[in-house]
């Protein structure tokens, strides 16, 4: 299958497709199905296509050592190169939080890394200029703005991404609500300054841009505001539209699972 509904399966130009296979992540030619020179990518983390560089995969390296690297893989010739090496206090990438798309121009990527002091760092990385943007300590969040969960303590994010136009760092937490470290929060992508809440839940969804240029989070509502008994597809505006969802479409089904805006 494709890797995930939030990730683009096809390379820029549609020459290659990134698939999940028994051997791990595999890149194949679209026209013939042949595997590329990259082979089975079982020694990298969270590959995704670069949206502006044809046939280039972007991923974090293996967690087998205590250095975190952002790497580029060339599907044409199989070459893998280091693009950015994180500071020494970054020990390993947190995979589940770190696999969302880059910004549409390929400039920004985001994620979370475990540090060597047992803290976790939410970050954005300016891939074009090779420098870190936002750096937000999970420990410091729970020492300040965020309340610890009485059962689970410091609840980590479910996923971390960048908005399609590269304006915001988007953090979706593993608990509902509009208190800090709950729902979906937006931050300044360069500085990490907290901006607001763009969603109050943790349903699956995807980031997108409307025809008029508004960045949104598209997700599922279990109850349509228009037709009783059916779910709906709705959108929330970034950076702070949590209180004002807009109906996209009521659907005549009894359940919804994944939303993809690729």
């Amino acid at each position: 299958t494709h890797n995930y509904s939030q990730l683009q399966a096809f390379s820029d130009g549609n020459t290659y497709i990134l698939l999940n296979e028994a051997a791990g992540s595999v890149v194949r030619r679209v026209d013939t199905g042949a595997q590329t020179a990259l082979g089975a990518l079982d020694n990298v983390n969270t590959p995704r296509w670069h949206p502006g560089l044809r046939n280039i995969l972007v991923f974090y390296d293996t967690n087998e050592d205590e250095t975190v690297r952002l790497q580029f893989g060339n599907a044409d010739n199989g070459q893998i190169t280091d693009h950015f090496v994180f500071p020494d206090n970054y020990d390993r990438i947190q995979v589940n939080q770190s696999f969302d798309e880059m910004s549409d121009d390929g400039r920004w990527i985001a994620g979370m890394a475990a540090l060597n002091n047992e803290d976790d760092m939410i970050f954005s990385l300016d891939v074009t200029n090779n420098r870190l943007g936002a750096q937000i300590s999970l420990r410091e969040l729970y020492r300040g703005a965020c309340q610890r969960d009485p059962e689970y303590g410091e609840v980590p994010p479910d996923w971390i991404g960048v908005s399609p136009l590269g304006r915001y760092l988007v953090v979706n937490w593993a608990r509902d609500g509009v208190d800090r470290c709950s729902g979906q929060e937006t931050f300044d992508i360069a500085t990490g300054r907290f901006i607001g809440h763009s969603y109050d839940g943790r349903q699956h969804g995807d980031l997108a841009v409307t025809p008029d240029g508004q960045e949104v989070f598209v997700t599922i509502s279990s109850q349509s505001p228009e037709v009783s008994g059916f779910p709906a597809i709705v959108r929330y505006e970034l950076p702070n539209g949590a209180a004002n969802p807009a109906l996209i479409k009521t659907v005549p089904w009894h359940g919804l699972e994944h939303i993809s805006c690729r």
Side-chain angles (χ1 to χ4, degrees), residues 6 48 60 94-101 109-113 120-124 136 138 156-163 168-173 185 187 207:
Q6 285 175 232
R48 82 233 46 202
Y60 300 101
Q94 301 285 44
V95 175
N96 288 342
Q97 290 85 1
S98 309
F99 67 75
D100 275 65
E101 283 284 1
I109 196 171
M112 187 168 78
D120 287 309
M121 186 72 78
I122 298 166
F123 66 85
S124 62
I136 305 168
L138 192 66
D158 182 40
W159 59 266
I160 299 163
V162 297
S163 66
Y168 310 110
L169 173 66
V170 183
V171 180
N172 215 116
W173 297 89
E185 295 184 322
F187 299 83
L207 298 166

Side-chain angles (χ1 to χ4, degrees), residues 8-232:
Q8 174 60 257
F10 296 94
S11 65
D12 182 37
N14 295 323
T15 303
Y16 301 107
I17 184 170
L18 174 65
L19 296 172
N20 243 350
E21 301 186 8
S25 295
V26 174
V27 178
R28 295 187 178 275
R29 289 194 61 90
V30 171
D31 55 359
T32 67
Q35 188 169 313
T36 69
L38 282 171
L41 294 164
D42 57 354
N43 60 343
V44 305
N45 283 311
T46 66
R48 82 233 46 202
W49 291 111
H50 193 293
L53 297 177
R54 180 159 293 201
N55 306 333
I56 296 296
L57 275 176
V58 180
F59 41 77
Y60 300 101
D61 72 329
T62 175
N63 277 328
E64 292 178 355
D65 60 23
E66 295 180 350
T67 301
V68 179
R69 305 171 183 86
L70 185 78
Q71 297 179 312
F72 282 8
N74 189 314
D76 291 332
N77 58 28
Q79 184 177 9
I80 294 177
T81 55
D82 290 351
H83 185 77
F84 180 80
V85 178
F86 284 75
D88 290 343
N89 62 325
Y90 281 65
D91 265 4
R92 64 188 184 279
I93 198 71
Q94 301 285 44
V95 175
N96 288 342
Q97 290 85 1
S98 309
F99 67 75
D100 275 65
E101 283 284 1
M102 305 176 73
S103 57
D104 288 350
D105 61 2
R107 177 177 176 181
W108 292 98
I109 196 171
M112 187 168 78
L115 304 184
N116 58 18
N117 63 355
E118 299 184 354
D119 191 8
D120 287 309
M121 186 72 78
I122 298 166
F123 66 85
S124 62
L125 175 64
D126 182 340
V127 178
T128 301
N129 296 299
N130 256 9
R131 62 191 180 203
L132 285 165
Q135 295 187 83
I136 305 168
S137 158
L138 192 66
R139 178 182 296 164
E140 292 305 312
L141 280 175
Y142 281 100
R143 284 177 176 173
C146 302
Q147 294 294 317
R148 292 169 56 91
D149 185 89
E151 183 176 358
Y152 300 107
E154 296 179 1
V155 178
D158 182 40
W159 59 266
I160 299 163
V162 297
S163 66
L165 300 182
R167 296 169 179 163
Y168 310 110
L169 173 66
V170 183
V171 180
N172 215 116
W173 297 89
R175 60 181 176 184
D176 299 338
V178 290
D179 294 328
R180 290 299 313 275
C181 294
S182 302
Q184 186 178 103
E185 295 184 322
T186 55
F187 299 83
D188 184 288
I189 200 166
T191 67
R193 176 182 61 86
F194 173 73
I195 298 175
H197 275 88
S198 45
Y199 178 49
D200 60 359
R202 49 194 169 94
Q203 288 276 15
H204 178 93
D206 204 359
L207 298 166
V209 183
T210 66
D212 62 357
Q214 173 63 50
E215 293 180 294
V216 295
F217 179 67
V218 180
T219 188
I220 300 157
S221 174
S222 60
Q223 179 59 56
S224 168
E226 291 189 352
V227 183
S228 177
F230 287 115

Side-chain angles (χ1 to χ4, degrees), residues 225-256:
E226 291 189 352
V227 183
S228 177
F230 287 115
I233 302 169
V234 296
R235 74 186 195 196
Y236 292 77
E237 291 190 356
L238 274 59
N240 51 17
N244 299 296
L247 175 68
I248 295 176
K249 185 175 181 62
T250 296
V251 290
W253 310 320
H254 292 290
L256 288 171

